[in-house]
Amino acid sequence: MNLSLRFWAALDGLLVRLRQRRATLSLLMDLAVVALSWQATYLFRLGFERWASARPAYDAAVLAGLLLLYALVFLLLQVPRSIWRFSGFGEVKRLAWACLLAGALGGAAVRALGLEGVPRAVLALHPVMALMGLVLVRILYRMLYEHMRARLHRGSGTVRQLLILGAGEAATRLIAGLRDGDSLIHGLLDDDPTKTGQRIAGCPVLGALDSLGAQCERLPLTHLVIAMPSLRGAARRRVFDLASATGLPVLTVPSADELRDGMPLERVRDIKPEDLLGREPVQLDEAGIGEMIAGSTVLITGAGGSIGSELCRQVARYAPRILVLYELSEFNLYAIEQELGERFPTLQLVRVIGDVKDLAHLRATLGQWRPQLLFHAAAFKHVPLMEEEHNAWACVRNNTLGTYHAALAAAEVGVARFVLISTDKAVNPTNVMGASKRAAELVIAALAREHASTRFMAVRFGNVLGSSGSVIPKFKEQIARGGPVTVTHPDIIRYFMTIPEAARLVLQAAAIGESGQVLVLDMGEPVKIVELARTMIRLSGRTLDEIGVVFSGLRPGEKMYEELLVSDEKTRVTSVKALRAASLQEEPASSHVILKWLHTAKDENVRASDLLAMLVAEYQPPK
């Protein structure tokens, strides 16, 4: 290591050691600046000849009093807690208010005490001089820090060399955050022609997004960062397509949903599959949902699962009186309870380990807490696993019988709304899992006619990105291992939505749905699975030659494409643009006879798939 690098490394080490005393040192340095500004103000007012001799004898006491006053104001406004290397316009505003307040109080005190020897111009100008000095010190520190980090990174060879896509507020805040890390920002791209040639937070805007390919050839880039959290629809997909075509690893700032949940904008992350959808967000009836949930008792079965846990988060935002978490997995129940306890400390949580196949326990739980709203998310949903005969009965008992138990117990205690979480695989089902969910829909359709005091409804949506058992985590693991990525068929397509979208759809359905209805979301265009896999490979910075795609063939019970509506279901529009409602028709077969038989069926020779075919007319079990 040469002498220059040793100097910068030593300085970096010193700053790291001083960081634990940052607040105290910051306050002392700020007070030193205030004191120097007092001298500079006298110099400006009286000139070199008189700046020392023309002062009153009590000037040192006045300065001591002012320093004490500035220290109190700085502590009140938490100025010492700021981090100088991140200083921006917000910090300047805080300093301006501090100097204005301290200067006004100090000037008023000096005049009130009759200390006429202190010139009024000095009292008036000193806060301005102090503000200029405080800001200048922070600018100089930030310049020194960034220069030091750049020299160290160049010496170590570990620096990430970035190009940022987007030149708005998100990019400005992102630059401030990245400058503290191992990053060198070469510039920004933006389609606003008025920004080209300008500098954003000291970084040049190099041109439009379409010039990305040329910039990648010209610059020694290692990563791209997309800083457009509010971009939606086709425009968002275009940006990701441009980025993926470069072959560089792509990072992004948090999405609008993540920002709403409190994630800092400056925290870049890898691309998630939901980033690729770019669908316009569904506009919900927030007032109606809030009126339904606020102050009520809500029970969620399967509260620790992918959909159930997100439902808990969404419900908690609307301030229910009590949230009952009903979950079979001890670990999942503990995890969601801990998270909710931290994020919503005033919310009363009830943790119940329970199985929806246990009707007596469900009755006791609902009888004790008497919820007004019940979301039934407990289910088995892995299609190939449930196709195996030794698992098929477990699927039927959990998905169909469990729904019957939850719905029956809800009706008996007078739950106002019961919402079943269903799936597009329940439409013209070709597998046990889908048929068991269609049977569950028919069960609540039957109960809806028998128990008019409870609204029974179902919600259907497609594949949920990131949920347990979904294809996306599997793709990510395969890419991380070096491939290949396995896709069942080159033409297979699926509808996708994010977990937060799914949870919000469920809440909206509960607010506007009528008894005996199924609500479905306009899922937009279906996604070709092989193209999703290829895009994920490219966005990871790998090529299709490095990470191949192989086709493994359709799995047992798997469809080439999914549907959201049974062919004879008649849909109607709802008050929410992206939602449509249909009737949950009950087939002629008696669901009550089948369910009664399910209670006692354990070792009979009848296959679970054959039993389902007796209830679900459109299901044809494999021979």
Side-chain angles (χ1 to χ4, degrees):
M1 184 183 294
N2 60 38
L3 185 61
S4 175
L5 279 179
R6 287 178 181 173
F7 169 77
W8 293 114
L11 179 59
D12 186 42
L14 175 63
L15 293 177
V16 170
R17 289 193 296 274
L18 294 177
R19 195 163 292 165
Q20 59 184 344
R21 301 182 178 88
R22 182 182 66 230
T24 302
L25 292 173
S26 175
L27 179 60
L28 292 176
M29 292 185 68
D30 284 343
L31 293 179
V33 170
V34 171
L36 288 174
S37 300
W38 183 256
Q39 312 304 327
T41 307
Y42 263 107
L43 182 64
F44 178 79
R45 173 66 179 82
L46 302 176
F48 281 102
E49 297 80 6
R50 302 175 57 231
W51 78 280
S53 60
R55 300 189 192 193
Y58 48 77
D59 184 72
V62 172
L63 177 57
L66 284 174
L67 291 178
L68 178 60
L69 180 59
Y70 270 85
L72 293 174
V73 172
F74 286 166
L75 291 172
L76 176 66
L77 297 182
Q78 299 183 342
V79 171
R81 296 182 60 183
S82 64
I83 303 175
W84 285 17
R85 63 183 183 273
F86 293 149
S87 295
F89 185 64
E91 177 68 5
V92 173
K93 287 195 298 183
R94 190 201 305 265
L95 290 172
W97 279 111
C99 291
L100 177 63
L101 179 58
L105 293 175
V110 169
R111 305 309 295 177
L113 293 172
L115 304 177
E116 301 292 341
V118 180
R120 285 177 292 181
V122 171
L123 294 174
L125 289 174
H126 177 248
V128 178
M129 299 290 284
L131 175 62
M132 294 171 58
L134 293 169
V135 172
L136 179 62
V137 167
R138 282 158 173 78
I139 292 174
L140 292 174
Y141 178 84
R142 182 166 173 173
M143 291 173 59
L144 174 67
Y145 188 87
E146 291 177 4
H147 181 73
M148 175 189 70
R149 300 302 295 177
R151 292 297 299 271
L152 289 174
H153 293 330
R154 291 192 188 102
S156 65
T158 60
V159 62
R160 292 188 304 182
Q161 305 200 56
L162 309 178
L163 184 66
I164 297 177
L165 308 186
E169 180 184 354
T172 304
R173 293 175 57 185
L174 176 63
I175 292 170
L178 289 177
R179 277 176 170 158
D180 182 44
D182 303 337
S183 303
L184 176 63
I185 303 170
H186 286 274
L188 306 92
L189 299 181
D190 196 280
D191 282 338
D192 185 351
T194 63
K195 293 181 179 179
T196 300
Q198 296 185 5
R199 300 187 75 85
I200 304 294
C203 297
V205 180
L206 302 175
L209 294 171
D210 287 334
S211 68
L212 177 58
Q215 299 295 345
C216 290
E217 294 179 2
R218 185 177 68 87
L219 299 170
L221 301 174
T222 61
H223 293 78
L224 301 176
V225 182
I226 299 174
M228 301 177 177
S230 60
L231 203 62
R232 298 284 184 178
R236 185 175 182 85
R237 287 193 295 272
R238 168 179 168 260
V239 174
F240 279 96
D241 288 343
L242 288 171
S244 66
T246 65
L248 291 172
V250 183
L251 306 172
T252 185
V253 298
S255 65
D257 286 334
E258 290 169 326
L259 292 175
R260 184 195 63 205
D261 291 338
M263 182 179 290
L265 181 61
E266 298 81 6
R267 183 180 298 173
V268 294
R269 58 165 173 76
D270 292 332
I271 298 297
K272 295 180 180 179
E274 51 262 42
D275 295 319
L276 308 178
L277 296 182
R279 184 166 53 240
E280 294 293 335
V282 178
Q283 299 300 317
L284 301 182
D285 176 18
E286 298 281 355
I289 297 174
E291 183 179 352
M292 172 185 68
I293 295 177
S296 63
T297 298
V298 181
L299 187 146
I300 300 175
T301 68
S306 304
I307 300 298
S309 61
E310 183 62 25
L311 269 175
C312 291
R313 299 181 192 100
Q314 298 285 347
V315 167
R317 292 175 51 229
Y318 293 96
R321 185 173 68 89
I322 300 172
L323 180 55
V324 183
L325 312 176
Y326 196 89
E327 169 62 53
L328 182 59
S329 166
E330 178 190 23
F331 175 77
N332 289 350
L333 180 60
Y334 172 78
I336 187 60
E337 183 268 339
Q338 289 291 300
E339 178 185 342
L340 294 175
E342 291 179 4
R343 293 180 57 185
F344 306 96
T346 61
L347 175 60
Q348 181 179 349
L349 298 173
V350 177
R351 304 161 297 173
V352 181
I353 293 181
D355 188 345
V356 293
K357 298 186 291 295
D358 187 343
L359 178 58
H361 188 259
L362 273 170
R363 280 172 165 159
T365 302
L366 269 67
Q368 179 179 0
W369 298 105
R370 296 196 169 271
Q372 288 82 47
L373 184 59
L374 193 154
F375 295 104
H376 181 50
F380 292 150
K381 58 183 181 180
H382 195 281
V383 171
L385 196 61
M386 296 302 112
E387 281 300 289
E388 299 174 9
E389 186 60 31
H390 53 276
N391 294 326
W393 269 115
C395 181
V396 172
R397 292 193 183 100
N398 193 64
N399 292 2
T400 307
L401 182 61
T403 299
Y404 173 69
H405 288 167
L408 181 62
E412 289 173 349
V413 300
V415 171
R417 292 177 173 91
F418 179 98
V419 184
L420 166 68
I421 314 302
S422 190
T423 170
D424 56 358
K425 294 174 178 61
V427 181
N428 296 318
T430 60
N431 50 67
V432 168
M433 194 283 284
S436 70
K437 295 297 282 186
R438 177 58 177 163
E441 292 180 353
L442 299 177
V443 165
I444 68 168
L447 292 177
R449 289 203 306 270
E450 298 172 7
H451 301 274
S453 61
T454 299
R455 292 189 192 180
F456 289 96
M457 61 200 76
V459 184
R460 279 189 207 139
F461 39 73
N463 291 268
V464 178
L465 290 169
S467 64
S468 60
S470 72
V471 70
I472 302 304
K474 178 183 176 182
F475 284 172
K476 293 176 71 174
E477 291 174 5
Q478 291 174 333
I479 293 171
R481 291 199 306 265
V485 173
T486 56
V487 179
T488 56
H489 193 280
D491 297 323
I492 194 167
I493 60 175
R494 288 291 183 266
Y495 291 100
F496 282 104
M497 68 189 312
T498 67
I499 292 178
E501 276 183 309
R504 289 196 290 269
L505 168 64
V506 174
L507 297 187
Q508 187 64 82
I512 67 172
E514 300 294 336
S515 196
Q517 283 186 339
V518 57
L519 286 95
V520 298
L521 173 68
D522 178 5
M523 300 285 294
E525 295 296 322
V527 176
K528 205 168 185 178
I529 300 299
V530 67
E531 291 303 323
L532 178 63
R534 289 167 178 163
T535 301
M536 289 181 64
I537 292 171
R538 288 193 293 265
L539 288 173
S540 71
R542 313 292 288 275
T543 67
L544 295 177
D545 292 331
E546 295 175 298
I547 308 289
V549 176
V550 298
F551 300 103
S552 57
L554 290 176
R555 298 172 298 179
E558 190 171 36
K559 289 183 180 181
M560 286 289 291
Y561 64 94
E562 302 289 0
E563 308 156 272
L564 289 171
L565 292 171
V566 179
S567 57
D568 61 350
E569 286 177 327
K570 305 300 182 183
T571 66
R572 64 175 181 82
V573 297
T574 67
S575 57
V576 178
K577 181 180 179 181
L579 284 173
R580 298 189 69 86
S583 174
L584 279 171
Q585 301 173 359
E586 185 179 11
E587 300 297 332
S590 170
S591 61
H592 291 290
V593 172
I594 301 296
L595 287 168
K596 184 177 180 180
W597 189 87
L598 275 172
H599 277 292
T600 56
K602 292 185 182 296
D603 301 318
E604 282 75 1
N605 294 324
V606 177
R607 295 191 307 167
S609 54
D610 291 335
L611 180 71
L612 284 169
M614 298 171 61
L615 183 61
V616 182
E618 59 268 29
Y619 173 55
Q620 298 297 322
K623 300 299 182 182

